[in-house]
Amino acid sequence: MTHPRPIRKLAPLLALLWLWHLAIACDNSEGSRLPPLDNDNHQNANNSGNNSNSNNDNSGNNDNNNVDDRPPGNVTADTSFNLSGDVRSQCSNGQPYVPFGSTQRQYAAGSALPDLSFSRMSENVAAFYDTWKAKYLGNSSACGNDRYFVNAILDNRISVSEGHGYGMLIMAYMAGHEPSAQQYFDGMVRYYQDHPSGINSALMSWAQNSSCNNVDGNASATDGDMDMAYALLLAHKQWGSSGAINYLQLGERMVDAIMADEVSHDGRWLLLGDWVSTGAKYDATRPSDFMPGHMATFELLKGDGAWRTLRNGTYNVMAQFQNQYAANSGLFPDFMVNISGTPAPAAASFHESPNDGNYYYNACRVPWRLATDYLTTGNNTSRDLLARINYFIRQKTGEVPSDIAVGYRLDGAAIETSYTSWAFIAPFGPGAMVNAGNQHWINTVWNHLVSNKWEEAYYEDTIKLLSMIVMSGNWWAPQDIDC
């Protein structure tokens, strides 16, 4: 069975939008390619008067832009790392227990946030969330009452499970700013329950059309299921499970289903979905599905060794691949193959596009996924995997976010440079946060995100919003919350 995911087909439109964006920027900012920055405390607190550390988008030429000229060495997975925390305890009976913008999270030692006040960054995130919600939060009479989804607007699809997972994460994190967050979240849960995979009913069928019917095969996609399971555990901490929906019970059911049907038989890597059981697609994985922060929470939830085995197995696969195929760039491809042997980049059009073996529209999420692991657990493997990526992108762009290409080959060659995209820019922000030595680059990426208002499509704008939640200090893990 084949189970394709949507190929991004917006390149011509995005190129035109990007050229228009640059033209407007040149008109509005003398001597600069970009619009003026949001000017609320955008200088480093330790930098006074001379603006020598000014965080504008041309800061790649700044004398204070010190990029380490020594590339990181090989990565060795830390499989002895131990976790702690309580995922199951209930903290709330309906009211948000962790309201958005109420408390800046304390991320792992050695990490850094943008040099801005927490309140200001939270305001920036809230403003973009309001724009995102107006554009992408969907409901339809065809889908039934009190059903909500993220309107993906991809060909004939109104919803894909990938976006559904994103939407559930966003509502759990934005509760407190969004007064109807629980209503929307519960509507998304009901929508998920209305569209079970035909293979494992605890997982979600990956796509629906405008008539709210499943399309493209009634089976799952792993990334959406991982995010939905994690979001349900966030909801348990945020609102408690004593109401109409038992979030903890549903979340655990989904976690068990992922382990049963979306993990290799030896428990060492994630499959592409529950539809994969044999052949070349079985011996493959999508690196952007590797969410070690989620896996850490699932490990604490279950209290057994299966999720630890999976997390460590995937760390080993990622480290082995990066050391062999991306020693200079650190980048991962959209798909990897031969996972049971020596992991390698997929061939062109292995599953989705001619760029399946390159850093493209799937793999662009890897820096964000690895960053949320280190920031919430402190596991050095994710930090170390990001070291090469951070070194590469800072060197490649001179710390100018608008010079980030749409895709790279594993040797670091750019794929598309006539326009750029939030899907590629935004995740490098959280990725940089794992090391305070990236402070100037962290500031520059954040300023670029908040000072440029142009919008793209569901996928790109949603990745931007999720990255901003992390960068603002509003991302937390269920086990972080003490009741």
Side-chain angles (χ1 to χ4, degrees):
M1 174 183 177
T2 60
H3 186 54
R5 291 155 54 87
I7 299 173
R8 315 297 167 191
K9 298 179 179 179
L10 299 173
L13 174 60
L14 291 175
L16 291 173
L17 287 172
W18 182 241
L19 291 172
W20 172 84
H21 159 69
L22 291 178
I24 295 298
C26 289
D27 288 343
N28 290 342
S29 181
E30 184 177 345
S32 172
R33 293 180 300 154
L34 295 171
L37 293 173
D38 180 349
N39 290 318
D40 179 71
N41 189 29
H42 277 231
Q43 294 184 37
N44 188 302
N46 295 320
N47 177 41
S48 59
N50 63 6
N51 200 28
S52 61
N53 195 31
S54 174
N55 298 316
N56 59 55
D57 202 49
N58 291 321
S59 57
N61 298 319
N62 192 296
D63 290 340
N64 282 352
N65 178 31
N66 296 320
V67 180
D68 191 344
D69 61 2
R70 295 165 298 175
N74 281 358
V75 174
T76 301
D78 179 4
T79 58
S80 64
F81 185 81
N82 292 315
L83 298 163
S84 62
D86 184 3
V87 177
R88 293 180 177 275
S89 61
Q90 179 164 309
C91 304
S92 175
N93 287 306
Q95 296 302 312
Y97 193 77
V98 191
F100 176 82
S102 61
T103 305
Q104 190 169 49
R105 307 313 306 172
Q106 296 299 308
Y107 292 150
S111 63
L113 291 99
D115 282 332
L116 279 164
S117 70
F118 176 57
S119 60
R120 181 60 173 169
M121 289 192 290
S122 295
E123 289 171 7
N124 292 146
V125 177
F128 187 61
Y129 163 79
D130 291 342
T131 299
W132 177 91
K133 172 191 168 185
K135 188 173 181 180
Y136 299 116
L137 181 63
N139 60 1
S140 169
S141 59
C143 300
N145 295 329
D146 299 323
R147 267 59 175 174
Y148 292 93
F149 52 88
V150 174
N151 197 344
I153 322 172
L154 290 168
D155 297 328
N156 67 326
R157 310 173 189 93
I158 61 167
S159 175
V160 291
S161 63
E162 159 200 273
H164 209 70
Y166 295 158
M168 290 172 65
L169 289 175
I170 288 167
M171 290 307 162
Y173 283 120
M174 295 306 299
H177 168 72
E178 171 53 67
S180 300
Q182 188 175 16
Q183 174 190 340
Y184 296 145
F185 187 94
D186 288 358
M188 290 179 176
V189 172
R190 294 186 186 98
Y191 184 95
Y192 141 67
Q193 292 175 313
D194 290 344
H195 298 282
S197 166
I199 298 171
N200 187 320
S201 62
L203 305 174
M204 183 174 175
S205 186
W206 96 280
Q208 293 76 45
N209 62 16
S210 58
S211 299
C212 223
N213 295 320
N214 294 336
V215 292
D216 298 329
N218 186 16
S220 74
T222 300
D223 56 350
D225 295 327
M226 290 281 289
D227 277 334
M228 281 184 270
Y230 191 74
L232 284 161
L233 300 177
L234 290 172
H236 172 65
K237 289 289 186 174
Q238 187 69 279
W239 298 296
S241 294
S242 300
I245 297 176
N246 189 322
Y247 306 122
L248 178 62
Q249 184 181 74
L250 273 181
E252 185 165 13
R253 177 174 179 257
M254 203 165 200
V255 166
D256 290 343
I258 294 168
M259 181 56 68
D261 282 316
E262 292 181 333
V263 174
S264 64
H265 301 322
D266 63 1
R268 292 193 303 112
W269 71 89
L270 286 166
L271 304 176
L272 303 179
D274 64 0
W275 52 276
V276 182
S277 58
T278 59
K281 296 290 175 72
Y282 171 82
D283 202 17
T285 195
R286 186 186 294 109
S288 56
D289 290 1
F290 178 37
M291 307 172 199
H294 290 20
M295 294 178 185
T297 298
F298 301 162
E299 178 183 337
L300 289 169
L301 173 74
K302 297 305 298 180
D304 58 31
W307 283 99
R308 184 182 184 88
T309 297
L310 176 61
R311 187 164 54 93
N312 288 340
T314 316
Y315 277 141
N316 283 324
V317 167
M318 298 284 273
Q320 183 180 1
F321 180 93
Q322 190 184 70
N323 293 339
Q324 181 168 352
Y325 288 98
N328 293 324
S329 71
L331 300 174
F332 294 93
D334 275 9
F335 296 92
M336 292 194 304
V337 297
N338 195 34
I339 308 303
S340 62
T342 301
S349 302
F350 167 77
H351 188 57
E352 283 189 20
S353 83
N355 285 302
D356 280 354
N358 296 323
Y359 182 84
Y360 205 52
Y361 271 96
N362 281 301
C364 63
R365 298 170 289 183
V366 169
W368 156 52
R369 296 298 195 182
L370 292 177
T372 54
D373 176 44
Y374 179 72
L375 295 173
T376 58
T377 72
N379 191 313
N380 289 340
T381 306
S382 286
R383 181 200 62 190
D384 294 347
L385 288 167
L386 283 164
R388 277 185 176 138
I389 297 173
N390 288 325
Y391 174 82
F392 162 76
I393 201 63
R394 292 175 66 191
Q395 289 277 7
K396 186 75 173 180
T397 65
E399 297 202 2
V400 180
S402 56
D403 284 351
I404 293 172
V406 172
Y408 292 94
R409 306 190 194 288
L410 299 185
D411 64 4
I415 294 174
E416 175 58 69
T417 59
S418 66
Y419 67 99
T420 191
S421 169
W422 293 131
F424 291 86
I425 296 172
F428 285 124
M433 291 170 61
V434 302
N435 190 328
N438 297 317
Q439 185 67 67
H440 187 263
W441 177 230
I442 295 165
N443 294 344
T444 304
V445 174
W446 174 264
N447 293 345
H448 188 72
L449 293 176
V450 301
S451 63
N452 291 279
K453 309 300 183 184
W454 48 280
E455 299 171 18
E456 295 184 54
Y458 130 75
Y459 184 74
E460 296 81 359
D461 288 346
T462 305
I463 289 174
K464 177 182 176 180
L465 177 55
L466 288 162
S467 296
M468 290 178 70
I469 291 172
V470 179
M471 293 192 76
S472 66
N474 281 290
W475 187 278
W476 47 274
Q479 65 269 21
D480 294 341
I481 308 305
D482 295 324
C483 300

